[in-house]
Amino acid sequence: MTVETFMEVYELDCPRATERLLKMGVPEPMNKGSNDQGAVAITVAETVQHFITLMDAIKLEQRAVDELQPLLSDLMNSLTNLPETPNDFDPNKAVSKWLQKLNTMRAVDEVDEDDARQLYHDLDSAYSEFTRYLKRTK
């Protein structure tokens, strides 16, 4: 049973959730949550870890969608869990753009060399913006 069929059978009417999860592949940002310093520190550490892991995967020439998409999804989840980030936070927009692109591809597809270079560049820029944001919010 597909998600769409499930939604029809149980008469679920949630167009925004459908758009974000099924078409965009991005969950609703949860950055309005708890501001517990311990939880924030863990989220920041996880976000840094996801940035580094994904950028290393690209440098190691991993190109298959089924290798990159889970790493990108983990990064997006960490970014959306950061408290008090602005709605137009550039790292979120950059990661979301690539996640949407990879979600339209098949698992066996691969990003070409040009896309891999652009993805790495976008992630590097997003990481730089992320660290600048952390320094501003000390």
Side-chain angles (χ1 to χ4, degrees):
M1 175 182 288
T2 67
V3 174
E4 290 85 357
T5 305
F6 178 86
M7 292 176 67
E8 286 177 24
V9 168
Y10 292 98
E11 299 177 3
L12 298 175
D13 182 34
C14 41
R16 189 157 183 234
T18 302
E19 173 73 19
R20 288 190 67 83
L21 288 175
L22 300 181
K23 294 186 176 126
M24 295 170 49
V26 179
E28 181 69 26
M30 298 182 60
N31 53 6
K32 305 295 183 239
S34 169
N35 203 7
D36 174 37
Q37 291 301 323
V40 171
I42 290 170
T43 303
V44 167
E46 288 173 347
T47 304
V48 169
Q49 171 190 336
H50 294 309
F51 265 116
I52 292 169
T53 301
L54 181 54
M55 292 170 74
D56 284 349
I58 296 165
K59 282 291 186 189
L60 292 171
E61 297 184 6
Q62 291 183 359
R63 300 290 185 259
V65 170
D66 63 346
E67 294 172 332
L68 297 175
Q69 193 276 346
L71 300 175
L72 204 52
S73 183
D74 289 344
L75 175 57
M76 188 73 222
N77 287 335
S78 288
L79 284 168
T80 58
N81 285 327
L82 287 169
E84 300 180 19
T85 54
N87 290 336
D88 61 344
F89 193 42
D90 286 337
N92 288 23
K93 291 192 295 189
V95 172
S96 177
K97 177 187 83 168
W98 280 101
L99 192 55
Q100 289 175 41
K101 180 174 180 152
L102 293 185
N103 282 341
T104 64
M105 300 170 73
R106 298 175 351 156
V108 296
D109 291 341
E110 291 191 356
V111 296
D112 61 25
E113 186 61 32
D114 290 344
D115 279 345
R117 286 185 69 178
Q118 187 62 51
L119 174 55
Y120 187 87
H121 174 74
D122 290 350
L123 288 171
D124 190 47
S125 297
Y127 183 72
S128 295
E129 177 58 31
F130 173 71
T131 57
R132 280 192 296 275
Y133 169 78
L134 292 177
K135 290 175 184 174
R136 286 192 308 263
T137 59
K138 277 200 240 181

